[in-house]
Amino acid sequence: MWGGRFDAGPDPEMFALTASIEVDIALLGADAAATKAHARVLEKAGLLTADEVTAVDGALDELVAQWRAATLFPAPGDEDVHSLVERTLTESLGETGRKIHAGRSRNDLIATDVRLYSKDAAAALGDAVRGLIGALADRAEAHTETVMPGFTHVQPAQPVSVGFHLAAHGFAFARDLSRIERAGEAADVNVLGAGALAGTTLPLDATIATKELGFASMFDNAMDAVADRDFVCDLLYATSLLGVHLSRLAEEIVLWASPAFRFARVPDQWSTGSSMMPQKRNPDMAELIRGRAAPAIGDLNSMLVLLKGLPLAYDRDMQEDKELLFRSVERALGCVQGMTAMIGGLTFDEARLAAASEDGAMWATDLAEILVSRGVPFREAHETVGRLVASLEKSGAPIDEELLLAAHTSFERGDLAATRPAQGMMARTSHGGTAPERVREQVKELRSRVAG
Ligand code: ARG
């Protein structure tokens, strides 16, 4: 690609260390599309004939077909996907192939290719996350009346429904969905036409490539266009936070599946056994999803560190972005799909959840709020119920009506019903609360977010 300037070719060792073909061959489809678009830009400028453009299209279609059929093998001198495309065009079309790189650079080309990849990746991730939110919404809807302990500090706090808890995770993924969509929008800017960094003296019209490639808009400044990888950072941040949310849900599945909790059972197909201990039923998939948030966060960090301190415009460091991006997208897709399957197959032990909801005096806030509704200041109510909980803990006795009536003159016969976990769950009808009608609204909202 640059033989004229040099007396000697690249050292094989340097070539091996700098070549990126193994990674960026994945961009072949994008590079072919960008090259077709550039051919049209050159045609409009009178630098290629209509016949030459047709020939370029045919050669590129053939190349992409070979790649899809896994019959394309890079030649030893192919440094990256761009040099492979130019070489093959030149081999099949001669002079026409030698004209194709006029007015463009690998710098604007790679940024264009990565933007095309990122748009597709955001769309695929968005679809996967929609599937996960849908699975959570379905399970939430089926469990609006299944009571379970709600925790803070992993201490029993207030009774909730399984549906409410699953919907809570659903809203985190709904935010991931909009972050992924915004990352896709950030990528949706054409930069083909920026050249190496400063544009071109040739009469090229970048709007043609913008339209041909289906980008929503076009770069403003050529130097920024080749230097900007914000959209990669945006996507890596979106996959990192998605990874964090998946990890928090995975951690809960690990806890719920433990015999110490016995809240839920992971389906056989998504559980693993032990090579030594015959009784084991391990939630390895959930643990791996939890674990894979670590490299997701690491890849975002690597990308940010890669960019910091890079002078404008293009620097070769930027070549390292692709491996991070591709593996982060693949990892996120796999984790979302695995989680969707696990959520769909999770079974809840309703009897066990009901029994666990009796522990930890989760009715305490409810009793305090009964006193408040009768005019007792909240602090007095809090202290009264706190003393009642402490005395029950000492005596080991369960709460009963006489104890309740003795605790405060404002308690009345019938108030004991408020200590039933299901009652406590049903009574939280405030906005966004755990009462079944509120959770049904939340499920509806989740579905509308998925529908967009
Ligand atoms: N392979 C490079 C990358 O992935 C693009 C080539 C630009 N290289 C250059 N020396 N100008 O970023």
Side-chain angles (χ1 to χ4, degrees), residues 118-130:
S118 298
K119 279 177 65 175
D120 285 350
L125 282 167
D127 284 346
V129 172
R130 277 187 200 93

Side-chain angles (χ1 to χ4, degrees), residues 14-223:
M14 185 200 73
F15 186 84
L17 288 168
T18 55
S20 57
I21 185 74
E22 270 177 40
V23 173
D24 60 31
I25 188 78
L27 295 172
L28 189 81
D31 210 70
T35 300
K36 284 184 180 182
H38 188 62
R40 280 153 181 78
V41 173
L42 293 177
E43 182 191 5
K44 186 75 190 298
L47 298 168
L48 281 185
T49 66
D51 286 350
E52 283 179 310
V53 172
T54 306
V56 166
D57 284 355
L60 289 170
D61 288 344
E62 166 66 25
L63 184 64
V64 172
Q66 276 177 22
W67 177 59
R68 296 236 161 92
T71 54
L72 175 69
F73 302 101
D78 292 336
E79 184 196 312
D80 57 21
V81 65
H82 321 300
S83 43
L84 179 148
V85 168
E86 197 178 336
R87 173 186 62 76
T88 55
L89 275 186
T90 302
E91 280 170 8
S92 53
L93 307 179
E95 282 302 292
T96 304
R98 290 164 56 81
K99 289 180 184 173
I100 199 69
H101 207 56
R104 75 174 189 182
S105 158
R106 289 187 295 161
N107 299 350
D108 58 346
L109 193 50
I110 190 63
T112 303
D113 290 358
V114 178
R115 284 175 179 276
L116 288 171
Y117 169 87
S118 298
K119 279 177 65 175
D120 285 350
L125 282 167
D127 284 346
V129 172
R130 277 187 200 93
L132 174 56
I133 297 168
L136 285 163
D138 289 348
R139 300 313 305 279
E141 190 171 43
H143 286 289
T144 56
E145 313 220 340
T146 310
V147 71
M148 72 178 287
F151 296 93
T152 61
H153 315 267
V154 204
Q155 301 289 320
Q158 290 172 350
V160 298
S161 72
V162 169
F164 178 70
H165 198 138
L166 294 176
H169 286 288
F171 283 100
F173 294 119
R175 292 190 298 277
D176 289 319
L177 176 59
S178 64
R179 251 186 299 278
I180 289 163
E181 287 170 346
R182 287 202 299 274
E185 285 163 19
D188 198 6
V189 179
N190 178 42
V191 295
L192 192 61
L197 78 166
T200 172
T201 62
L202 297 170
L204 303 188
D205 179 0
T207 62
I208 297 172
T210 304
K211 217 177 290 154
E212 284 291 326
L213 292 170
F215 281 112
S217 64
M218 186 159 83
F219 68 100
D220 294 298
N221 173 294
M223 185 178 270

Side-chain angles (χ1 to χ4, degrees), residues 252-316:
E252 291 196 329
I253 292 174
V254 170
L255 289 176
W256 295 347
S258 163
F261 276 75
R262 205 162 33 83
F263 286 1
R265 194 172 167 90
V266 178
D268 277 7
Q269 304 92 309
W270 291 86
S271 299
T272 50
S274 157
S275 61
M276 183 182 185
M277 299 169 283
Q279 86 283 13
K280 292 283 274 179
R281 180 185 177 85
N282 293 331
D284 287 35
M285 184 70 234
E287 293 166 271
L288 284 167
I289 289 173
R290 187 177 62 191
R292 283 178 191 157
I297 295 163
D299 284 342
L300 169 64
N301 190 54
S302 295
M303 187 64 201
L304 293 169
V305 175
L306 187 69
L307 289 173
K308 79 162 280 300
L310 287 190
L312 302 192
Y314 177 85
D315 300 275
R316 192 63 180 271

Side-chain angles (χ1 to χ4, degrees), residues 402-413:
E402 299 316 314
L403 288 167
L404 188 55
L405 293 173
H408 198 286
T409 52
S410 292
F411 280 127
E412 296 169 5
R413 290 210 179 270

